[in-house]
Every structure is written in C-alpha cells, then in structure tokens.
C-alpha cells in the first residue's frame, strides 16, 4: 500500500514511486547490467586510487591527499543513488519510502557539496604550488590539508540540513510519482500539497555556493595558466600543464553538469533532458574521474608499477 487516507478525505503519500525507469522487458535488464558494470568500475577505480595514494610514500603530498579524499567521497556519493537505481531497474515496485527519499537527498547533496569544496581546496593547492613554489611546503602543511578537508565536510553536511528538514516537514498528498531517477529537490517539491515558494531562497543559497566555488577555481586556474606560459622551460610548461589538465577536466565535468542542473532558476527542461543531465553528474562524471586520475596520470601509473613490483618481490619472484 503506497498511500493512506487522512481524516480530511485527502490522500496522504507514504512512499514515492519512480516513474522514469523502464520495465525488464522494455530494456531494464540491459540498463541494469550496464550500470552494474559502471558502478563496479567506479568503486574499484576509486578504491584503487585511495589505497595506492595511501601506500606509496612518493604520493604523500597535499595534491594526492586531496585526490585520496575525493576518491573516498566519490565511492559514497555514487552509493547514495546507484544501488537504488539498480534496484528499480529490476524490481516491479519502483518505490522508496519518504524517510529513504529524504536521506538519499541529504547524503547525495551533502557529499556533492563536500566534493565541490575539496575541488576548490585542490585548485588553491595547485595555485600555491605553481604560483608560489618557494613558500608552498610551509603553507600547504599536512595540518592545513586536514583542516581544509574537515571544513569541506562541515560545509557539505551542515549547509543542506535546513533544506532537508524543511522538505521533510511538508505534507505530501495526491500524486506520488517522482519524474527523476533519484530523489532530488525539485521533483520532490513538485509533489508537496502546500506552498513551496520558500525554495527560491534555498535556490539562491545553492547558487551562491556553486558560483563561489566556481569563481575561486576559475581564478586560480587562470592565474596558473598565466604563470605556466611564462615558464622558460618547455619541459616545465608541459609537466605543469599535464598536472593541472586532470584537475581542470574533473572540475569542468563536475561543475558543468551541476551548473546546468541547479543554476536554471525559472528555466525548465523536458523530462528527457532532466534525466540526461542527472545521468551525467550521477553516473558519467564519477565514471570518468578514476580514468582521469589514474590512467592519464604518470605518477599514479608509476605508483601502480611500484606496488605490483613490490608484491612480486615479496612473493619470491625476482627480476
């Protein structure tokens, strides 16, 4: 039973149903297999990055500390949505309880905001490393890295709490069909049977958060590019560019899709484009991150080589 009757003869929603998923005979199984493989790759890839950057002493630098934090967050960020999406693709009842929906929204957005803050910290780290290299070791200390990470988590997990508490207190009656692949603010608020105009204030707060991070990162990388172009050595320029290219790619992928989704204000997209954008930042962006940070990163590839080389020697195989 998905709904119960209230004394006022209104239908009160007790759970939401996702209306965007195809049934098994409509290609649901194919999407399930594909998404399961992608999710397996995301978790394995990020876990590999986390373990290697932890074990290899050569990667105990501020930059790889933030990459390790980002990989850890990415595992949980995708776990808030993808397992439920997988479940909906193969089950007949594509439902989620109200409490489950609000928890999914809270952790998805908290982890997303935290990732945005960590990406901002990474941009500041690269800015200091390239634009102020002599003072870099004294500025970017392990203690500062831990403080920036703690601040990012605090920012992420506290900022979204008032909005979730407000949405959780709203009455939901009538339709319980969510037109999205996961619980998100707008699709859920559309089902509330009361005035939700207060959401404009929340949207403005989110816009300030996104734009502030975007501005800091953009200004950092613009300054970095100016400094790199002034380097006399071609080899130095190439090394600096290759280091920053990975960060820029992740930054553009993450903030690009987030901006399209959450900086729309009064603009509306079709259900198809809403879903396509959601798939981009829920599934595709996390899928490309391990590729960018490992397969396209020489330091990471060298560290993987050293790790497996060590294991072979430990097993008695000598070169």
């Amino acid at each position: 039973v998905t709904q119960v009757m209230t004394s006022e003869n209104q239908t009160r929603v007790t759970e939401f149903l996702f209306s965007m998923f195809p049934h098994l005979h409509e290609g649901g199984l194919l999407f399930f297999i594909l998404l399961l493989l992608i999710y397996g790759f995301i978790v394995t890839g990020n876990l590999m990055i986390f373990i290697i950057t932890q074990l290899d002493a050569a990667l105990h630098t501020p930059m790889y500390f933030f990459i390790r934090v980002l990989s850890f967050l990415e595992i949980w960020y995708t776990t808030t949505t993808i397992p439920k999406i997988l479940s909906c693709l193969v089950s007949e009842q594509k439902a989620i309880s109200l409490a489950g929906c609000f928890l999914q929204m809270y952790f998805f957005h908290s982890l997303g905001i935290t990732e945005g803050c960590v990406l901002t910290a990474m941009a500041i780290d690269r800015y200091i490393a390239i634009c102020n290299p002599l003072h870099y070791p004294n500025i970017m200390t392990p203690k500062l890295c831990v403080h920036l990470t703690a601040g990012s988590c605090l920012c992420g997990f506290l900022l979204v709490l008032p909005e979730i508490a407000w949405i959780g207190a709203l009455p939901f009656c009538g339709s319980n069909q969510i037109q999205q692949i996961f619980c998100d603010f707008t699709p859920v608020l559309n089902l509330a049977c009361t005035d939700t105009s207060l959401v404009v204030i929340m949207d403005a707060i989110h816009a300030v958060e996104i734009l502030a991070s975007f501005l800091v990162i953009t200004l950092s990388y613009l300054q970095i590019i100016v400094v790199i172009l002034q380097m006399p050595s071609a080899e130095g320029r190439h090394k600096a560019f290759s280091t920053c290219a990975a960060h820029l790619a992740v930054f553009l992928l993450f903030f690009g899709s987030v901006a399209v989704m959450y900086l729309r204000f009064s603009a509306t997209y079709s259900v198809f484009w809403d879903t396509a954008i959601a798939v981009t930042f829920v599934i595709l962006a996390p899928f490309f991150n391990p590729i960018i940070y490992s397969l396209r990163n020489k330091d990471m590839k060298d560290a993987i080589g050293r790790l497996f080389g060590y294991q072979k020697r430990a097993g008695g195989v000598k070169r």
Side-chain angles (χ1 to χ4, degrees):
V1 180
T2 61
Q3 299 171 331
V4 294
M5 298 298 291
T6 64
S7 56
E8 291 84 7
N9 205 27
Q10 283 185 318
T11 307
R12 184 178 174 181
V13 172
T14 59
E15 63 179 26
F16 295 121
L17 299 175
F18 293 107
S19 60
M20 297 304 298
F21 294 106
H23 293 284
L24 278 176
H25 62 273
E26 295 172 336
L29 185 61
L30 180 65
F31 286 119
F32 172 84
I33 294 166
L34 182 63
L35 184 55
L36 185 63
L37 292 171
I38 290 171
Y39 180 56
F41 175 80
I42 291 168
V43 172
T44 306
N46 282 297
L47 201 57
M48 182 187 75
I49 292 168
F50 182 85
I51 292 168
I52 288 168
T53 54
Q54 182 68 44
L55 294 179
D56 197 293
L59 300 182
H60 288 178
T61 64
M63 184 178 84
Y64 285 102
F65 173 83
F66 290 124
I67 288 175
R68 183 160 65 250
V69 170
L70 201 63
S71 296
F72 178 78
L73 291 170
E74 200 82 295
I75 293 169
W76 295 109
Y77 176 73
T78 51
T79 301
T80 59
T81 53
I82 295 181
K84 186 61 186 176
I85 294 171
L86 288 167
S87 167
C88 288
L89 284 168
V90 291
S91 63
E92 210 50 49
Q93 188 78 343
K94 306 175 191 304
I96 187 169
S97 66
L98 263 70
C101 184
F102 300 145
L103 279 171
Q104 187 184 64
M105 272 196 294
Y106 174 67
F107 283 108
F108 177 77
H109 285 283
S110 294
L111 290 161
I113 292 168
T114 305
E115 277 195 31
C117 292
V118 171
L119 283 170
T120 308
M122 287 171 76
I124 294 166
D125 169 69
R126 288 300 82 206
Y127 170 79
I128 298 168
I130 291 170
C131 301
N132 199 356
L134 294 176
H135 295 99
Y136 178 71
N138 296 325
I139 297 170
M140 290 305 295
T141 59
K143 189 178 179 181
L144 180 62
C145 292
V146 171
H147 285 167
L148 286 170
T149 303
S152 297
C153 293
L154 206 62
C155 182
F157 283 86
L158 289 182
L159 275 175
V160 80
L161 201 54
E163 187 165 6
I164 298 295
W166 171 63
I167 295 171
L170 294 175
F172 293 92
C173 50
S175 173
N176 65 341
Q177 304 278 323
I178 293 180
Q179 293 194 322
Q180 189 51 280
I181 58 173
F182 68 101
C183 286
D184 204 4
F185 295 137
T186 304
V188 171
L189 284 169
N190 287 340
L191 304 179
C193 49
T194 187
D195 178 37
T196 59
S197 56
L198 189 65
V199 77
V200 175
I201 299 168
M202 301 295 186
D203 285 344
I205 293 167
H206 289 313
V208 170
E209 292 164 13
I210 295 165
L211 289 171
S213 289
F214 185 87
L215 195 63
V216 170
I217 295 171
T218 304
L219 290 173
S220 296
Y221 280 111
L222 283 173
Q223 186 62 40
I224 286 168
I225 290 165
V226 169
V227 171
I228 290 171
L229 290 173
Q230 291 172 349
M231 287 180 177
S233 163
E235 187 183 343
R237 282 197 302 271
H238 176 74
K239 189 178 179 182
F241 265 125
S242 63
T243 302
C244 294
H247 297 271
L248 272 172
V250 172
F251 159 63
L252 290 170
L253 202 59
F254 180 83
F255 278 96
S257 53
V258 166
V260 172
M261 191 70 178
Y262 296 109
L263 294 182
R264 65 175 74 185
F265 298 104
S266 59
T268 55
Y269 307 134
S270 67
V271 173
F272 170 80
W273 283 112
D274 259 349
T275 308
I277 296 162
V279 166
T280 301
F281 71 86
V282 171
I283 300 166
L284 294 183
F287 173 75
F288 284 113
N289 285 356
I291 298 171
I292 293 165
Y293 281 132
S294 56
L295 300 179
R296 300 288 300 164
N297 186 309
K298 188 179 180 297
D299 291 339
M300 280 295 298
K301 285 191 281 189
D302 290 345
I304 292 166
R306 284 193 295 272
L307 180 67
F308 283 103
Y310 168 78
Q311 287 176 340
K312 285 179 181 179
R313 285 195 297 276
V317 179
K318 293 182 180 179
R319 292 180 180 272

